[in-house]
Amino acid sequence: MSDQQTMQTQPSLTTTEIMTILLGCEQTLRFVQASPNYKQIEGFSRFSTSNDLRLGDAIQALLEIHEAILDIEFYSQVEGETNAK
């Protein structure tokens, strides 16, 4: 498959859609994290990841990415207003 064909099959998402997906993932992970079954799994002494990461770390990463996107949108608007003057 050529690069051009690959680009045509990849979805084009708006910033709003990206933010919605990220927030949906965060909420889904919070739902899993709150599950008694997941708490039991994470509580096992043999539960480990290569970097000692937990589900809360993934949630925090998504929140930080969401905030970074909000910052970019804010500064883009501010710069746009400054350039328009």
Side-chain angles (χ1 to χ4, degrees):
M1 185 179 284
S2 72
D3 288 341
Q4 188 174 11
Q5 288 172 322
T6 301
M7 288 179 64
Q8 289 175 351
T9 60
Q10 292 177 347
S12 178
L13 299 171
T14 65
T15 303
T16 301
E17 290 168 331
I18 291 168
M19 301 274 280
T20 301
I21 291 168
L22 290 173
L23 289 173
C25 290
E26 182 247 328
Q27 290 300 317
T28 300
L29 291 177
R30 285 187 185 279
F31 181 70
V32 171
Q33 186 182 38
S35 162
N37 199 23
Y38 179 78
K39 287 179 183 180
Q40 180 182 10
I41 292 167
E42 195 175 80
F44 283 117
S45 61
R46 293 187 148 222
F47 180 87
S48 69
T49 62
S50 61
N51 295 320
D52 291 328
L53 297 174
R54 301 283 190 209
L55 203 50
D57 298 311
I59 293 167
Q60 182 63 35
L62 288 172
L63 290 172
E64 289 180 23
I65 291 167
H66 181 262
E67 189 167 316
I69 293 170
L70 287 175
D71 287 347
I72 287 174
E73 285 190 323
F74 173 78
Y75 289 116
S76 294
Q77 289 177 357
V78 169
E79 289 173 2
E81 290 173 6
T82 302
N83 292 336
K85 291 181 180 182

